[in-house]
Amino acid sequence: MIVRDFNKLKNTDRDVKDAQWSSVRMLLADDKMGFSFHITTLEAGSEHTFHYKNHFESVYCMSGKGSITDLGTGETHEITPGVMYALNLHDKHTLRAEEELVMACCFNPPVTGTEVHQADGSYAAPATQDA
Amino acid sequence: MIVRDFNKLKNTDRDVKDAQWSSVRMLLADDKMGFSFHITTLEAGSEHTFHYKNHFESVYCMSGKGSITDLGTGETHEITPGVMYALNLHDKHTLRAEEELVMACCFNPPVTGTEVHQADGSYAAPATQDA
């Protein structure tokens, strides 16, 4: 059994930060769960465009307020606590945080922890898909 | 993109209830994400022994207070907001809710939605592992 505490992982090397967001990697590929699990915080007033071409991701809003626009369809959905979106079609999207958003995120295949967002908003595919 | 709201799924057929716990199935196998995602509420004062022989599960505490005992090692860990446990060894365990616990749970392989806990605390394996 793996037991980890978000509060103890904040500001360690498992807390990945980029422009106006940070993400605590609670589970990564080397935990061999078949998915990774992250707690991601998006700063109030920030806007982010991502396109996970190589991953499925689900995102559950634990606190805050914002919106997500599906750039394929143009549809916008409100994000409030209890709302989940799942990028089952590798949907390119823009996420806006009106208030600070704290989100519980699952990735399949699992993120290894070394990815950075590429210019196209994606993470590179893992070296092996069966990690 | 799939968008679902926990608050709208409460008390629908996606809200599975058993003795002293309920679980809203936010994502299931037929969503084809490769994992399922559930928001599970355990009643204050309740105790649960589970043994997911056929699944990996991670559980993140969003609110409440309790503990988990690994029945293989005898170790007990406190559960408070921010603590996650991951059953990477299909660990048989007892979960206790001192206060109502609300947990974000990921299962791999994904739960289909029709499982019930068997006498041994497990969910049956899915008919296919690649759902």
Side-chain angles (χ1 to χ4, degrees):
Chain A
M1 184 183 301
I2 298 165
V3 180
R4 295 190 179 124
D5 186 343
F6 170 80
N7 302 297
K8 292 182 183 164
L9 297 179
K10 284 291 288 177
N11 301 313
T12 69
D13 59 0
R14 296 186 81 96
D15 189 2
V16 177
K17 296 175 194 226
D18 204 335
Q20 300 190 288
W21 63 267
S22 64
S23 185
V24 173
R25 307 317 203 181
M26 303 294 295
L27 287 173
L28 288 168
D30 63 3
D31 293 312
K32 306 282 186 198
M33 296 286 288
F35 56 85
S36 59
F37 182 72
H38 320 160
I39 302 296
T40 299
T41 304
L42 304 139
E43 282 181 24
S46 66
E47 184 176 306
H48 311 267
T49 295
F50 298 129
H51 191 190
Y52 296 117
K53 297 174 183 177
N54 304 304
H55 298 79
F56 295 112
E57 186 196 17
S58 72
V59 180
Y60 181 81
C61 177
M62 298 195 292
S63 66
K65 190 177 171 191
S67 66
I68 183 169
T69 300
D70 181 332
L71 296 177
T73 65
E75 272 184 295
T76 294
H77 306 272
E78 261 195 69
I79 306 283
T80 52
V83 172
M84 177 212 69
Y85 64 85
L87 305 167
N88 62 320
L89 302 173
H90 304 288
D91 316 76
K92 185 173 182 178
H93 61 284
T94 296
L95 187 58
R96 282 173 217 86
E98 286 174 50
E99 300 170 9
E100 180 183 87
L101 286 169
V102 184
M103 317 289 261
C105 310
C106 303
F107 275 81
N108 168 31
V111 164
T112 64
T114 59
E115 292 86 353
V116 291
H117 282 101
Q118 303 182 119
D120 64 359
S122 75
Y123 281 150
T128 58
Q129 292 284 337
D130 60 351
Chain B
M1 185 181 302
I2 298 165
V3 180
R4 295 190 179 125
D5 185 343
F6 170 79
N7 301 296
K8 291 181 183 164
L9 296 179
K10 285 289 292 176
N11 301 313
T12 69
D13 60 0
R14 295 186 82 95
D15 189 1
V16 177
K17 297 176 194 222
D18 205 334
Q20 298 190 288
W21 63 267
S22 64
S23 185
V24 173
R25 308 313 203 181
M26 303 294 295
L27 287 172
L28 288 168
D30 63 2
D31 293 311
K32 305 281 186 201
M33 296 287 287
F35 57 85
S36 59
F37 181 72
H38 319 160
I39 302 296
T40 299
T41 303
L42 303 139
E43 281 180 26
S46 66
E47 184 176 306
H48 312 267
T49 295
F50 298 129
H51 191 190
Y52 296 117
K53 297 175 184 178
N54 304 304
H55 298 79
F56 296 112
E57 186 195 18
S58 73
V59 180
Y60 180 82
C61 178
M62 298 196 292
S63 66
K65 191 178 171 190
S67 65
I68 182 168
T69 299
D70 181 332
L71 296 177
T73 66
E75 273 185 295
T76 294
H77 307 273
E78 261 194 67
I79 306 281
T80 52
V83 171
M84 176 212 71
Y85 64 86
L87 305 167
N88 62 320
L89 302 174
H90 305 287
D91 316 75
K92 186 173 182 179
H93 60 284
T94 297
L95 187 59
R96 282 172 218 87
E98 286 174 51
E99 300 170 8
E100 180 184 87
L101 286 170
V102 184
M103 316 289 261
C105 309
C106 303
F107 275 81
N108 169 30
V111 164
T112 63
T114 58
E115 292 86 352
V116 291
H117 282 102
Q118 303 181 120
D120 64 359
S122 75
Y123 282 150
T128 59
Q129 293 284 336
D130 60 351

